[in-house]
Structures are given as C-alpha cells and as structure tokens.
C-alpha cells in the first residue's frame, strides 16, 4: 500500500501569555504522520503532548508554524480526526446503543441505518449484549470501549487518543490495548492512522509502529524511533526489551558508553561498579522533592539541608538516581531527567516497571540473572552468590552489595528471597535483555 501523508507540522510553536510573561509550551515541532502509521507521542507531563494533539485535531490554532492535513492548510476543526480522551464523556442518561447512535446522528446518518450501524460498532469492540445497558452499569474498561465505538462511528481517518488507558485498572487496560491492536491490524476499521499520547514507555512499545519522544522546557521532539516488531508483541522477547531500553536510554540522557557508566560484571576483567546502599523509599523521596522544584533542578549542597539528610546518605541517593538514569549531575547541580520525571509521575506499578527495566541493564543484575537462569529451578543459595561477589569486593562489602541487590530486585519484582532458607529465586518474567555481562 502506498503511503499518503496525512498530518504535516512544520516549525509549530505554541506559547501562552500570562500577564506580561510569555511561556513557550512547544517550540519548533516538525512532525509527519502517514497512512498506515500508529504513532505514539511519549514524554513527561507538560512536554506538550496534549497541546500537539489539540493542534492536529484543529481544536487549537498554534501561535506559529504551519499545520497541513492531506497537503492543505488546516483551518478550524479537523473533520477527518477524532479524539478519544482518558475518560470518555458518555451521556449517563442514554443507553450504550444510544450513546453510539448519537454520534451517527451528528454525522447525518439516516435514522433507519443508525441502530444497525451502532450495533455493528459495539460488536466490533466486543460489547454485543450490552446495547441496552447504561454507562453506570459498566466497568471502566467497558465504558472506554463504548468511547472507542463512538469514536469509530465517526469513521475518522485519523484516530487521536490522549492517554486512553491511563484511567483504567491494569487488567482492563491490557485487554483494551489488545482489542485496539486487533482492530487496527485486522483492517476492520476505516481508520488510516493512529496518534496516541502516552507517558508509559511499555505501552508505546507494545502498541505503536513509531515512537516520537518529547522533552519539556520548552516542549520539543527529541527522537523519532521506529518500532519494527510484528503484532502481537511479546513483552519478554529480547527485541522488545531492546527497544524499551533504547527509549529509556534516550529519556535518561545517556551519554557515556555503557561499560564506562555501569562498570563490568563480577568476575569479568574491569571494574565492577558497586551499587550505592539506598532504600528505594528514600530515592522516591529525593526524586519527588526534585520534581517539586521549578526546573526540577537543585544545588546539591542545599539539598542536604532542605531534606535534613547527612551528606553521605544524600550522595548515595544521588549516585543511585544517576546510575538509574533518573537524574544528571553537572558541577554540583542535580537535575531530573525526563525518565526521572516519568518515574515520579508514575503510579506504584509504573514505578516498579521503570525500575525493573533500569536495573536489568546493570551488570551486577545481568550477571546474577544469568546465574539464576542457569541454575536448577532458577534458585541459588545466598551464600553461593555472596562468595562469588567476594571475587570483586571485600567480604563485608560483598554482603552489603548482595543485600542491596536483593532489596532492589524484590522491589522490581524480579527477585524473590526466601529468608528462612537463605535462597534467591528469579521471578518469572525477569528476563534480562541479553545474557552478556557488559
Ligand atoms: P502534556 O500533555 O505533555 O502533559 P500539555 O500539552 O498539557 O502537556 O501542556 C504543555 C505545557 O503548556 C504545560 O506546561 C501546560 O501547563 C501549558 N499549557 C497547556 N495549556 C495551557 C493554557 N491553555 N494556558 C497556559 N498554559 C497552558
């Protein structure tokens, strides 16, 4: 199929005026979306994702730059695009069927055709049997499906979605994501391109064919990555994890070669970087504090007094934040990276997911996961691992390293530790990106 260009943004700028001050929300964004593309817009809160979506759907006119749709300048609301929001506004007094029919009515579909067309749409999103139910009788996931059916009723050429799964519980979100991918890949919907705003890295990699990464201050595009994986995608495949790690790397502002930044695995030539002994709760506290400061940026020596921490403890936390790619340190100042901001904004599960992806790249975890995978029942005695670590660290430090590894690994739900038997177990799904140690 030849691709046609739908959206074209050239040098788009959006600024807002508040009193005398002008605030640039997005600066100089170029973006093209073609037919056949499923594009995810990913980045921390405030980087301008929703603003871009509003500009593309014509709900908002940018301050500067050009917006074209199918080669023509976009004026007013884009008739070829529809937006699905986080929580779809259904009319509570209308049945599910009527909620979809109303969109058909708005499009001028004759009344005799509306009911069968609406039934068909509900069928496609898996809601047959619920036509006469009212929104209050439905779960959040089902209500969102009605939202999708209504969006489809408009037969949009471009389907825009603004964090469509973020208000749902984990299971409903997962099933709705697969339903949407199935609809998209089956060609059963008239939609020619999808543009989805998200701040979940895994969601972008599981769904999109291309990820446009944004950063803020001011909002701009920092990378455009193809996701060349067949559907349905396997979260455990090395290729999937490789892309997830690339996205993390870009958001974390990775600059040095990994072996310099992270050290080498225990037992390998080269220096094995020790993990700083920190509790994840304390790290959360530091990152949350930084996120509250304008610019997410602070002078390290002032932080110690603001947070009432002794400097040793603070420096360990900062080292942890840097090692995990949540912050960068330049000349005594610490700044949250977009990944650090994403971590702070994420819920408990989202934080664990990010944390798990980040520790998977540390040589000491890669090494331990590889040992565990090679062991009987993916289990090892604590003592055996500690002895192995003593090749690289003095005995006390080897023990402390292992305590930290267990603590972080448990938080990431990658490791389980049976305290009474002193046995470490690799959790299912905790596969490293590769078994290489560096
Ligand atoms: P995102 O969707 O990535 O979270 P938004 O597009 O909502 O980001 O917002 C980008 C920036 O623009 C934010 O700093 C936000 O506060 C600001 N902003 C958005 N809409 C307005 C508005 N109507 N007036 C002033 N500032 C706004």
């Amino acid at each position: 199929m030849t691709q046609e260009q739908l959206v074209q943004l050239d040098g788009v700028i959006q600024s807002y005026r508040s009193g005398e001050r002008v605030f640039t929300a997005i600066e100089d964004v170029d973006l093209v979306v073609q037919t056949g593309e499923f594009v995810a817009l990913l980045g921390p809160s405030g980087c301008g994702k929703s603003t871009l979506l509003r500009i593309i759907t014509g709900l908002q006119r940018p301050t500067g730059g050009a917006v074209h749709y199918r080669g023509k300048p976009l004026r007013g609301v884009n008739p070829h695009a529809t937006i699905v929001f986080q929580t779809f506004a259904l009319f509570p007094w209308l049945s599910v069927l009527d909620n979809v029919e109303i969109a058909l009515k708005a499009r001028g579909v004759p009344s005799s055709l509306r009911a069968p067309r609406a039934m068909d749409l509900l069928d496609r999103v898996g809601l047959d049997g619920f036509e006469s139910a009212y929104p209050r009788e439905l779960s959040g996931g089902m209500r969102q499906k009605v939202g999708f059916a209504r969006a489809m009723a408009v037969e949009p050429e471009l389907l825009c979605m603004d964090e469509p799964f973020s208000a749902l519980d984990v299971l409903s979100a997962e099933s709705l994501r697969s339903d949407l991918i199935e609809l998209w890949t089956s060609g059963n919907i008239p939609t020619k391109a999808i543009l989805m705003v998200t701040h979940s890295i895994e969601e972008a990699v599981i769904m999109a064919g291309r990820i446009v990464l944004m950063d803020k201050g001011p909002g701009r595009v920092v990378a455009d990555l193809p996701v060349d994986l067949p559907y349905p995608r396997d979260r455990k495949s090395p290729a999937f994890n490789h892309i997830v790690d690339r996205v993390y790397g870009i958001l974390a502002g990775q600059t040095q070669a990994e072996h310099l930044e992270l050290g080498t695995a225990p037992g390998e030539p080269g220096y094995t970087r020790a993990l700083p002994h920190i509790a994840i709760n304390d790290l959360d506290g530091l990152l949350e504090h930084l996120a509250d400061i304008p610019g997410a940026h602070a002078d390290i020596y002032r932080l110690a007094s603001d947070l009432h921490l002794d400097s040793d403890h603070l420096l360990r936390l900062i080292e942890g934040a840097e090692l995990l790619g949540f912050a960068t340190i330049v000349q005594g100042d610490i700044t949250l990276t977009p990944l650090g901001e994403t971590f702070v904004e994420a819920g408990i599960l989202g934080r664990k997911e990010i944390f798990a992806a980040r520790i998977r790249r540390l040589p000491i975890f890669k090494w331990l996961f590889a040992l565990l995978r090679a062991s009987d029942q993916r289990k090892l005695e604590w003592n055996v691992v500690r002895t192995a670590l003593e090749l690289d660290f003095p005995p006390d430090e080897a023990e402390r390293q292992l305590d930290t590894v267990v603590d972080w690994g448990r938080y990431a739900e990658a490791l389980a530790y049976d305290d009474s038997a002193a046995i470490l177990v690799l959790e299912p799904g905790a596969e490293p990106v590769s078994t290489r140690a560096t």
Side-chain angles (χ1 to χ4, degrees):
M1 190 180 74
T2 53
Q3 286 194 310
E4 298 159 67
Q5 191 161 306
L6 297 180
V7 177
Q8 186 181 355
L9 303 183
D10 291 297
V12 163
I13 297 171
Q14 180 68 56
S15 45
Y16 296 103
R17 182 175 288 281
S18 106
E20 286 301 293
R21 290 188 40 225
V22 174
F23 165 76
T24 307
I26 52 174
E27 184 179 71
D28 212 9
V29 168
D30 297 334
L31 180 71
V32 168
V33 179
Q34 298 188 311
T35 52
E37 284 199 300
F38 185 148
V39 179
L41 278 180
L42 179 73
S45 272
C47 69
K49 304 182 295 292
S50 307
T51 302
L52 273 185
L53 222 53
R54 285 199 300 273
I55 290 172
I56 289 165
T57 49
L59 297 175
Q60 178 170 339
R61 229 187 138 144
T63 324
V67 184
H68 285 85
Y69 194 86
R70 282 198 173 275
K72 299 206 181 90
L74 182 66
R75 289 186 224 291
V77 173
N78 185 341
H80 308 286
T82 301
I83 285 203
V84 174
F85 291 102
Q86 207 177 79
T87 45
F88 211 90
L90 298 179
F91 299 112
W93 60 89
L94 294 181
S95 68
V96 163
L97 188 68
D98 291 341
N99 260 291
V100 179
E101 277 195 42
I102 204 164
L104 295 168
K105 186 176 176 191
R107 277 189 60 217
V109 175
S111 60
S112 60
L113 295 180
R114 282 180 218 147
R117 184 97 49 100
M119 294 286 263
D120 174 49
L121 285 162
L122 288 168
D123 213 12
R124 283 196 242 176
V125 295
L127 277 180
D128 39 333
F130 289 90
E131 299 82 5
S132 54
Y134 284 85
R136 64 171 184 278
E137 299 173 61
L138 306 180
S139 67
M142 289 162 102
R143 278 200 288 266
Q144 198 69 342
K145 282 187 180 184
V146 182
F148 278 116
R150 199 155 86 178
M152 299 302 172
V154 188
E155 305 204 340
E157 186 172 61
L158 174 68
L159 176 64
C160 295
M161 305 192 285
D162 198 348
E163 304 204 12
F165 310 105
S166 62
L168 301 176
D169 64 86
V170 179
L171 291 179
S172 313
E174 199 55 24
S175 87
L176 205 48
R177 281 188 203 111
S178 345
D179 291 347
L180 184 74
I181 290 170
E182 212 178 302
L183 276 176
W184 169 242
T185 51
S186 68
N188 254 343
I189 46 174
T191 297
K192 298 229 171 85
I194 301 183
L195 187 57
M196 175 178 76
V197 161
T198 175
H199 62 237
S200 159
I201 295 167
E202 301 237 344
E203 181 172 291
V205 182
I206 207 101
M207 301 190 76
R210 197 177 129 205
I211 301 177
V212 173
L213 280 157
M214 297 182 67
D215 194 4
K216 62 183 178 186
R220 61 200 188 282
V221 173
V222 290
D224 198 329
L225 282 181
V227 185
D228 202 7
L229 301 174
Y231 296 103
R233 291 176 178 164
D234 175 6
R235 283 179 195 264
K236 294 205 184 105
S237 77
F240 184 90
N241 281 316
H242 177 71
I243 296 182
V244 169
D245 281 359
R246 266 193 79 190
V247 176
Y248 277 109
I250 294 168
L251 288 176
Q254 197 173 307
T255 46
Q256 294 200 59
E258 290 219 334
H259 69 282
L260 291 178
E261 197 181 352
L262 304 177
T264 57
E268 297 254 318
Y271 132 95
T272 300
R273 184 166 175 172
L275 298 178
H277 306 294
I278 52 170
I280 311 300
N281 268 343
D282 293 345
L283 180 68
D284 284 354
L286 170 72
L287 299 175
E288 283 162 11
H289 178 81
L290 281 170
D292 281 342
I293 301 173
H297 171 90
D299 202 324
I300 291 172
Y301 100 94
R302 290 220 19 216
L303 268 183
S305 64
D306 289 352
L307 292 170
H308 307 290
L309 288 175
D310 70 60
S311 57
D312 259 12
H313 188 185
L314 177 65
L315 289 176
R316 283 201 303 276
L317 290 175
I318 288 177
E319 189 191 343
E322 195 183 25
L323 184 65
L324 294 163
F326 296 154
T328 49
I329 320 296
V330 179
Q331 293 182 338
D333 283 355
I334 177 168
T335 310
L336 275 190
T337 59
L339 184 61
E341 302 209 17
T342 307
F343 181 84
V344 172
E345 286 156 15
I348 295 172
L349 287 177
R351 284 190 183 185
K352 278 179 186 280
E353 204 169 88
I354 295 175
F355 194 82
R358 293 311 282 176
I359 64 167
R360 256 200 336 247
R361 55 195 277 287
L362 302 178
I364 197 164
F365 280 98
K366 283 188 183 174
W367 166 82
L368 179 60
F369 290 168
L371 280 185
L372 283 164
R373 269 185 295 113
S375 311
D376 185 29
Q377 300 182 332
R378 299 152 72 99
K379 288 181 179 170
L380 277 175
E381 283 178 34
W382 191 88
N383 270 329
V384 170
V385 183
R386 193 205 48 201
T387 310
L389 283 172
E390 284 178 10
L391 294 172
D392 284 78
F393 300 104
D396 283 1
E397 185 54 30
E399 190 160 331
R400 276 206 300 271
Q401 283 298 308
L402 189 49
D403 283 342
T404 305
V405 164
V406 170
D407 191 32
W408 291 18
R410 275 175 148 177
Y411 172 78
E413 296 182 8
L415 283 179
Y417 179 59
D418 175 348
D419 195 33
S420 54
I423 286 193
L424 281 168
V425 189
L426 185 65
E427 294 275 20
E431 296 298 335
V433 175
S434 77
T435 49
R436 282 183 309 121
T438 51

